[in-house]
Amino acid sequence: MTGTLPRQKEAPAQRDRRLLTLLRTGGTVLVRWREASVLIVAIAMAIYFRAANDVFLTYDNLRNIAQATAPAAIVAVGIVLLLVSGEIDLSVGVVAALAPFLVHYAVDLYGIPVIPAFLIAFAIAAFIGFCNGVIVTKFKVPSLVATLGSYYLLLGILLVTSHAYPAEIPSAAKGRIQTIFGAGDWSSLIWCLGVVLVYHVVLTRTRWGLHTISVGGNLIGATEAGIRVNRIKIGNFMMAAMLGALAGILEAFRINSIDPNIGGGTALVFTAISAAVIGGTALAGGSGTVIGALLGALILAELQNGFNLIGISANPFNIILGSAILLSMVANQYLSRLRRTGGG
Amino acid sequence: MSDVLVVEHVAKRFGALTALRDVNLRLEQGEVLGLIGDNGAGKSTLIKVICGYHRPDHGRLVVNGQEVVLHSVDHARSLGIDTVYQGLALINELSVYHNMFLNRELRVGPLLNNRAMRKLARAHLEDMGVNIPNVNAEVAKLSGGQRQAVAVARAVYSDARILLLDEPLAAMGAKEGTLILDLIRDLKARGEVSVIIIAHNYAQVLDVCDRVNLLQHGSITFDKPTSEVSLEELTELVVAEYRNRRLRGE
Ligand SMILES: Nc1ncnc2c1ncn2[C@@H]1O[C@H](COP(=O)(O)OP(=O)(O)OP(=O)(O)O)[C@@H](O)[C@H]1O
Ligand SMILES: [Mg+2]
C-alpha cells in the first residue's frame, strides 16, 4: 500500500482516515460511556474461557455464572448508591444472611404467612439501614466504622438466634414461592436485572439520583441548595440493606437451605464492593454506575467459574481479584482524567 | 415604602466565636442594598441566617410583614428568598442544566424532564448574555467566572422576590461583571425583586446599590443611601477602624 503514484495513494489514505475516525469514535465511546470498557473485559473473558474449556458457554454453566452474578450484583447496586452518596456499608452481607432467618422465624415460630413474613424481613432490613444512616448522619460516625460495628452486632445476633445452625426453608414457602424467589434456574438473574434496571433509572433519571450524586459530590453545596442531605443518605442506607435482604432470601431459596454462612461473613459485601469498583464507581463519591456494577459482578463470577473449569484452585483467584481491583482503579482514575479534560 | 425583609437583633455564635452580635437591617421593596465589611465580619453568616441555612441564636426575621422562623433553605425559598452563596453551591459532577435546576428539578411523573430543563437553562443563560457554550457540560469543566454565572443565573431565574447575592462578582471578568450588574439593574427597574448584595468593590456597590450597610463587630454600624456617600468616604470608613487600632497599638 505504499504506491508512489498520486492516484493510487488516494484510496488508502481515505481508508486510513475512515479507520482513524472509527477508532476515534470507538475511543470516545470508551471514554464517554464508561461501562463500555467493563463490558469489553467481560466479553473478552468469556471468549478466553470458552477457548480454554468447551463447558464454559453451556446452558448449565451459564446458569451457574448467572446464579453467582445475581446476589453480588444486587448487593452491589446498594453499595453503588452508598458510594455515590459518599458512604459505605459493610453490614449488608450479614443482613443478607439474617433476612431468610427472619422469614424462617416469622413463619415457623410465629405462624405468620410467608408473604407478610417477607415484608417483615424487609422492614427489619430497612430499619437496620435506617439505624446505620442515623448513626452516620446524626452522630457523625464515619460509615466505615459505624457499619463495621453493625456488622459484628448483626453477626452476633444471627449466630446467637440461629445457634449457628442452618434451618430448613419453611414448608409454606416451598413450591411456587421458592421457585419465584431464587430456586428457579434464572429467577435470581431476573430479579437482579430488574433491580439493576430500576436503580439505573433511579440514579440517572430521577431527583433522588441527582440528589444522591449531589450529596456525594459536594455535601456543603447540596445542603446550601436546600437538599435534605441526611434524608438522602439514610434512604440509601435503607435501600442498600433491603437489597442485601433480597439477595440473601434469593440465595437461601436457591441453595434450599437457610444457612448462617450465606454471604460468607464479609465475602458477599467485599465481592459487591469489588464489583462496584471494577464497574467504575469511585469511592470518592459523586459518581458511579449501576450497570457497571452488574458487569463487575459478572466479571468476578466469570473469573471464579472459569478458573474452576480450567482447574486452577481458589487460592490464586484472590491474586487475580486483587490485581483486577487495583488495575481497574488505576484505569478509572486515568479514564476520568481523560473525561475531565474532554479527551476522546 | 414597605419593607420586604426586617432583621431584628439577630445574633449567631459558632461555639466561642460570636459572628453576629446584634444585627438590625431592613430591605425595602424593589431596593438593592449593598452589604460591606471586612473579611470575617459575618456577612456570609448573616446571609445564611436570612436564607434559612443557619438558625439564629437570638432575634427575629420579618418577611413581607410576617414574623417567620425559618426551618430550612427550602422554607425560605418557599417565601421567595433565594441565594447565591459565596461557595456557589454547585455540584461539579452534574451538568450545567442540572445545577441550574438543583433541588427545583422539572419532572414528568417521577422522571426528570431533562429536555425542558436543558431548554430553559440555555434560554436563561442566553438571556443573561453569559457565554457558556454547552449546558450539557459538567460544571467541573467550567472556568471560575462561568461557574459563578451559573450560580447567579440559578438564583435570578428562580422567581425569587428577595435575592441574596454573596460576592456574585468575585470571579467575574470586566464584561461579565457588567452583565451581572446590568441584570441586577434590570431586576430593579421591574421593581418586583429586592436584592442584598455583598461586594468588596465599593465602586460597584455605589454603582448598583440604592443604600449601603456596613457590618462591623457583629452589627450594622453604618446605613446610608448611596446618593449621600462617596467612594472615598466608604473606603475611609472601613480603613479608619484599622488605622485607629494601629494607633492604639492593638
Ligand atoms: N460554619 C461555621 N462554623 C464556625 N465558624 C464559622 C462558620 N461560618 C463562619 N464562621 C466564622 O464566623 C465569622 C464570620 O464569617 P463569615 O463567613 O460570615 O464572614 P464574611 O463577612 O462573609 O467574610 P468574607 O468577606 O471573607 O467572606 C468568621 O470568623 C468565620 O470563621
Ligand atoms: Mg463571606
Side-chain angles (χ1 to χ4, degrees):
Chain A
M1 289 302 194
T2 48
T4 41
L5 290 172
R7 234 190 312 150
Q8 278 178 317
K9 236 175 157 179
E10 233 173 55
Q14 211 162 20
R15 204 176 312 149
D16 279 359
R17 211 174 306 132
R18 204 176 311 144
L19 191 69
L20 215 73
T21 322
L22 203 75
L23 277 178
R24 204 174 297 141
T25 322
T28 310
V29 168
L30 215 64
V31 174
R32 288 276 157 70
W33 191 50
R34 56 174 114 182
E35 289 93 345
S37 47
V38 195
L39 180 64
I40 289 170
V41 173
I43 293 172
M45 215 168 266
I47 294 171
Y48 170 77
F49 283 125
R50 169 65 181 78
N53 192 320
D54 287 346
V55 177
F56 190 77
L57 287 188
T58 57
Y59 179 89
D60 282 351
N61 198 52
L62 283 178
R63 187 198 52 210
N64 289 342
I65 293 174
Q67 289 177 343
T69 304
I74 290 173
V75 174
V77 167
I79 294 289
V80 167
L81 289 178
L82 283 172
L83 288 179
V84 172
S85 48
E87 305 294 346
I88 197 164
D89 187 348
L90 298 180
S91 71
V92 279
V94 205
V95 176
L98 188 60
F101 272 102
L102 294 173
V103 173
H104 158 59
Y105 299 152
V107 174
D108 294 328
L109 303 183
Y110 294 95
I112 296 168
V114 180
I115 297 300
F118 271 35
L119 296 181
I120 290 173
F122 281 111
I124 291 176
F127 178 71
I128 292 169
F130 177 79
C131 293
N132 281 332
V134 167
I135 292 168
V136 169
T137 56
K138 300 278 201 276
F139 297 101
K140 313 276 180 221
V141 181
S143 52
L144 193 75
V145 184
T147 59
L148 188 66
S150 38
Y151 165 76
Y152 281 113
L153 183 70
L154 294 170
L155 186 62
I157 291 174
L158 171 65
L159 294 178
V160 168
T161 56
S162 69
H163 307 288
Y165 271 105
E168 281 196 30
I169 303 289
S171 48
K174 296 217 163 161
R176 219 174 64 198
I177 294 181
Q178 188 174 357
T179 309
I180 294 172
F181 285 92
D185 274 0
W186 304 97
S187 117
S188 59
L189 183 70
I190 291 169
W191 278 101
C192 160
L193 293 178
V195 164
V196 166
L197 188 73
V198 166
Y199 279 99
H200 174 70
V201 171
V202 167
L203 194 56
T204 58
R205 292 272 180 275
T206 70
R207 205 164 176 234
W208 185 271
L210 221 58
H211 290 187
T212 295
I213 295 169
S214 306
V215 164
N218 180 356
L219 186 63
I220 294 175
T223 316
E224 287 179 341
I227 293 173
R228 309 239 165 95
V229 297
N230 289 351
R231 190 194 281 191
I232 300 284
K233 287 194 173 183
I234 293 172
N236 284 330
F237 272 106
M238 292 171 74
M239 289 197 278
M242 293 205 299
L243 288 169
L246 176 63
I249 289 172
L250 293 175
E251 195 62 358
F253 281 19
R254 181 181 72 80
I255 62 176
N256 199 24
S257 164
I258 300 178
D259 193 321
N261 287 318
I262 281 175
T266 52
L268 180 57
V269 73
F270 278 12
T271 307
I273 295 172
S274 311
V277 166
I278 290 172
T281 295
L283 269 107
S287 75
T289 130
V290 166
I291 291 177
L294 168 67
L295 294 171
L298 174 64
I299 286 177
L300 292 176
E302 277 182 300
L303 267 178
Q304 197 143 33
N305 181 285
F307 270 40
N308 221 337
L309 286 182
I310 298 178
I312 300 175
S313 83
N315 301 339
F317 175 72
N318 288 327
I319 298 178
I320 302 286
L321 175 57
S323 314
I325 292 172
L326 294 175
L327 244 168
S328 53
M329 281 314 273
V330 172
N332 221 341
Q333 287 299 329
Y334 179 71
L335 277 181
S336 61
R337 201 173 318 138
L338 265 187
R339 220 174 280 132
R340 207 161 298 140
T341 53
Chain B
M1 266 208 191
S2 61
D3 291 334
V4 287
L5 172 75
V6 180
V7 176
E8 284 179 3
H9 303 298
V10 158
K12 177 72 192 170
R13 248 176 310 155
F14 297 110
L17 186 136
T18 305
L20 303 175
R21 200 169 43 79
D22 182 18
V23 173
N24 293 286
L25 171 149
R26 58 186 188 82
L27 180 67
E28 286 173 13
Q29 168 76 47
E31 175 186 48
V32 179
L33 173 67
L35 184 62
I36 61 171
D38 295 340
N39 292 125
K43 304 180 295 296
S44 298
T45 306
L46 178 57
I47 291 294
K48 287 183 177 179
V49 166
I50 300 172
C51 77
Y53 183 86
H54 284 319
R55 288 280 192 91
D57 301 324
H58 283 292
R60 37 181 239 140
L61 296 179
V62 180
V63 179
N64 297 320
Q66 292 223 307
E67 178 169 355
V68 288
V69 177
L70 298 174
H71 308 297
S72 64
V73 174
D74 270 345
H75 184 201
R77 270 187 175 184
S78 72
L79 298 173
I81 301 174
D82 216 295
T83 317
V84 174
Y85 293 94
Q86 193 167 9
L88 301 185
L90 296 177
I91 312 298
N92 271 336
E93 288 79 0
L94 295 180
S95 64
V96 168
Y97 73 91
H98 278 153
N99 268 286
M100 281 190 59
F101 285 90
L102 191 61
N103 204 22
R104 222 177 338 226
E105 296 83 359
L106 305 179
R107 281 177 295 174
V108 194
L111 298 184
L112 297 172
N113 191 350
N114 286 329
R115 184 195 300 233
M117 289 193 279
R118 224 178 267 135
K119 209 173 131 199
L120 273 173
R122 215 174 274 137
H124 290 164
L125 289 170
E126 213 163 272
D127 185 45
M128 206 163 104
V130 178
N131 173 34
I132 292 175
N134 185 0
V135 293
N136 295 312
E138 270 182 29
V139 157
K141 286 182 184 166
L142 300 187
S143 76
Q146 288 173 326
R147 291 163 56 83
Q148 199 143 31
V150 171
V152 171
R154 173 167 74 192
V156 165
Y157 292 98
S158 68
D159 290 329
R161 311 301 301 269
I162 299 176
L163 270 180
L164 310 172
L165 311 177
D166 195 346
E167 303 198 24
L169 303 164
M172 291 293 181
K175 186 184 117 213
E176 288 80 3
T178 312
L179 277 175
I180 305 255
L181 288 175
D182 284 346
L183 192 70
I184 295 170
R185 256 183 233 108
D186 280 354
L187 289 174
K188 187 160 82 177
R190 276 185 257 155
E192 295 156 358
V193 182
S194 317
V195 183
I196 299 180
I197 179 168
I198 297 176
H200 287 293
N201 181 332
Y202 300 151
Q204 285 172 336
V205 170
L206 290 179
D207 185 15
V208 77
C209 296
D210 301 305
R211 200 155 54 87
V212 58
N213 277 10
L214 171 66
L215 184 58
Q216 241 177 354
H217 310 303
S219 52
I220 304 290
T221 56
F222 176 89
D223 177 3
K224 259 191 192 174
T226 42
S227 52
E228 295 171 20
V229 51
S230 68
L231 186 58
E232 292 70 31
E233 196 181 340
L234 270 190
T235 315
E236 182 59 25
L237 203 63
V238 176
V239 180
E241 126 113 358
Y242 163 73
R243 208 178 285 138
N244 291 341
R245 226 185 306 160
R246 228 176 46 166
L247 280 178
R248 289 201 303 269
E250 280 176 39

